[in-house]
């Protein structure tokens, strides 16, 4: 860790749909080497390994016990995130997980404490905040192009994931819903842009008791809905800036920008935080048109898994930019919005986190020569 020329051996637990996106990225990063994959369904792990020369298919316990594996990439379902992370930490492995860090902040706190006690590094998606979209907007804010930040809006509205996902059940039970599913991208981006949140207030609704799966072998099947499917919230950042969230599985469409940030002398349109790039637009006080800013920060041409590289090149003792502290903070913020929605009370955020370090403009496909230089600016 923190020695860029050292290769970090990765073992993946969970071979579901999301693994393909990581497998598309890992071969381009010389800091990382995939050595093993595991799944509760061993046949599924064997099918993945068969396409990857030199990668072994193991049971989950075999992977955790394997001395070659240094970091476990946890791609299990959210309900299993904490269990797998804790087992990996107990085995002395570093851990990087898909979002959220755990199903609840109580479980996430246990994972953080275990990682600290074991002296291992903890990272967590989303790593989209490390791309040129969010990071160029971050650079614009830090360079004072909008003056003092005052507010932000974050909007994600769609008809629901049952329209495209063949097994969408977990989106519509407690622990799912639009906020806990898509909110990590938006909240992590807002914290990266504006710093940590100190309190939150929310409102939520639940419009339908069932959804109809539209694709795959279960098309036409009705699934129950037992969680809120439209959530609004206001986040009060420690800086004093106010962010307004709208996350919905109940809308047809929207033309609202995914994220806007407003300051005393300018406004920014920030790209979709669910992707790594996109145009950042600035309108200054007194101007009549928006201008597209040149790319000025972030990993260029990044894709899912760049957070593993960032973790591997983080200096010892430093928090990765897509680290456990940010992931825990985002989860606590989202839970606080939902708690407020059901109590009608402002909720104080108990645990803060540092604003993640900015990412200097960095090429993603890294050469051996590039890796010999420090990753931090």
């Amino acid at each position: 860790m923190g020695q860029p020329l050292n290769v970090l051996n990765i073992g993946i637990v969970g071979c579901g749909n999301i693994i393909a996106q990581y497998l598309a990225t890992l071969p381009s990063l010389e800091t990382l080497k995939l050595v093993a994959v595991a799944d509760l369904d061993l046949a599924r792990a064997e099918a993945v390994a068969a396409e990857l020369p030199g990668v072994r298919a193991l049971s989950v316990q075999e992977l955790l016990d394997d001395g070659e594996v240094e970091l476990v990439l946890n791609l299990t379902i959210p309900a299993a995130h904490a269990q797998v992370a804790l087992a990996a930490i107990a085995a002395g492995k570093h851990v990087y997980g898909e979002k959220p860090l755990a199903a609840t902040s109580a479980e996430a706190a246990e994972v953080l404490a275990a990682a600290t006690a074991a002296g291992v590094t903890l990272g967590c998606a989303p790593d989209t905040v490390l791309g040129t979209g969010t990071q160029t907007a971050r650079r614009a804010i830090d360079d004072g192009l909008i003056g003092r930040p005052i507010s932000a809006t974050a909007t994600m509205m769609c008809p629901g994931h049952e329209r495209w996902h063949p097994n969408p059940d977990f989106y519509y039970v407690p622990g799912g819903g639009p906020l806990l599913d898509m909110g990590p991208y938006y909240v992590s981006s807002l914290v990266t842009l504006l710093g940590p949140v100190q309190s939150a207030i929310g409102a939520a609704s639940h419009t339908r008791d069932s959804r109809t799966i539209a694709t795959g072998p279960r098309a036409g099947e009705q699934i129950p809905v037992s969680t809120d499917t439209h959530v609004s919230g206001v986040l009060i950042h420690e800086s004093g800036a106010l962010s307004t969230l709208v996350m919905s599985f109940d809308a047809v469409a929207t033309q609202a920008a995914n994220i806007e940030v407003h300051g005393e002398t300018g406004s920014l349109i920030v790209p979709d935080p669910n992707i790594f790039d996109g145009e950042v637009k600035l309108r200054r006080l007194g101007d009549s048109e928006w201008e597209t800013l040149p790319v000025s920060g972030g990993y260029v041409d990044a894709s899912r898994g760049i957070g593993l590289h960032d973790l591997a090149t983080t200096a010892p003792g430093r928090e990765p930019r897509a680290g456990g502290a940010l992931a825990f903070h985002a989860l606590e913020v989202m839970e606080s919005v939902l708690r407020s929605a059901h109590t009608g009370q402002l909720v104080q955020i108990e645990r803060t986190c540092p604003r993640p370090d900015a990412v200097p403009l960095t090429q993603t496909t890294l050469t051996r020569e590039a890796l010999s230089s420090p990753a931090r600016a």
Side-chain angles (χ1 to χ4, degrees):
M1 301 293 292
Q3 299 296 323
L5 287 174
N6 291 342
V7 176
L8 190 63
N9 290 332
I10 307 296
I12 298 177
V13 176
C15 296
N17 291 339
I18 194 65
I19 194 174
Q21 296 185 48
Y22 284 90
L23 295 180
T25 302
L26 295 180
S28 70
L29 300 171
E30 293 190 23
T31 48
L32 308 171
K33 180 183 179 183
L34 180 61
V35 298
V37 294
D39 195 276
L40 289 177
D41 181 353
L42 183 58
R44 188 153 62 171
E46 290 172 340
V48 171
E51 301 295 324
L52 302 168
V55 175
R56 294 170 291 140
L58 305 174
S59 71
V60 173
Q61 191 59 53
E62 286 172 338
L63 186 145
L64 295 175
D65 291 339
D66 193 278
E68 187 181 16
V69 174
E70 298 172 281
L71 181 146
V72 170
L73 173 55
N74 183 3
L75 303 183
T76 57
I77 62 172
H81 283 182
Q83 178 184 357
V84 172
L86 288 169
I89 291 167
K93 315 292 188 187
H94 305 292
V95 177
Y96 184 96
E98 253 303 320
K99 53 83 181 170
L101 182 59
T104 67
S105 59
E107 289 183 350
E110 187 179 356
V111 172
L112 278 180
T116 299
V120 300
T121 302
L122 183 64
C124 188
D127 53 3
T128 47
V129 295
L130 308 181
T132 55
T134 297
Q135 291 295 322
T136 293
R138 158 79 178 259
R139 177 70 181 270
I141 293 169
D142 290 351
D143 286 351
L145 299 189
I146 65 169
R148 182 168 64 94
I150 302 300
S151 66
T153 59
T155 306
M156 192 294 299
M157 305 185 78
C158 70
H161 291 351
E162 75 279 4
R163 298 177 62 84
W164 58 269
H165 199 292
N167 295 293
D169 310 66
F170 65 95
Y171 292 117
Y172 294 104
V173 297
L179 181 60
L180 290 176
D181 174 51
M182 296 301 294
Y185 299 102
Y186 289 81
V187 175
S188 297
S189 184
L190 290 169
V191 173
T192 297
L193 296 170
L194 299 173
V197 177
Q198 69 178 17
S199 57
I201 192 165
S205 62
H206 169 174
T207 58
R208 282 177 274 168
D209 292 329
S210 66
R211 299 273 176 146
T212 303
I213 300 175
T215 62
R218 299 173 62 197
E221 180 181 336
Q222 297 275 317
I223 59 172
V225 176
S226 56
T227 194
D228 292 318
T229 50
H230 183 99
V231 182
S232 297
V234 175
L235 315 182
I236 303 169
H237 294 262
E238 292 179 8
S239 66
L242 305 178
S243 291
T244 302
L245 287 171
V246 181
M247 303 279 122
S248 182
F249 285 164
D250 292 335
V252 173
T254 179
Q255 288 189 319
N258 295 103
I259 294 178
E260 292 183 350
V261 181
H262 305 284
E264 290 181 313
T265 60
S267 293
L268 286 174
I269 296 176
V270 183
D272 184 352
N274 193 21
I275 61 174
F276 289 84
D277 54 12
E279 292 185 340
V280 177
K281 294 182 178 294
L282 168 68
R283 185 161 171 178
R284 303 172 194 265
L285 184 64
D287 288 352
S288 59
E289 300 291 338
W290 294 87
E291 62 175 295
T292 300
L293 296 179
V295 173
S296 59
Y299 289 104
V300 178
D301 297 327
S303 53
R304 199 176 298 265
I306 193 64
L308 286 157
H309 163 74
D310 191 76
L311 182 152
T313 57
T314 296
R318 296 292 298 274
E319 175 77 5
R321 295 181 179 97
L326 175 60
F328 181 91
H329 187 64
L331 179 58
E332 186 185 1
V333 167
M334 292 184 295
E335 284 189 342
S336 296
V337 170
L338 293 174
R339 189 178 310 121
S340 173
H342 292 281
T343 65
Q345 302 294 315
L346 180 76
V347 176
Q348 298 293 325
I349 308 302
E350 295 183 3
R351 186 183 302 206
T352 189
C353 77
R355 188 185 184 207
D357 292 340
V359 182
L361 192 61
T362 306
Q363 291 296 320
T364 301
T365 303
L366 300 167
T367 65
R368 183 66 62 180
E369 291 74 21
L371 288 171
S372 66
S373 300
R376 296 288 188 194

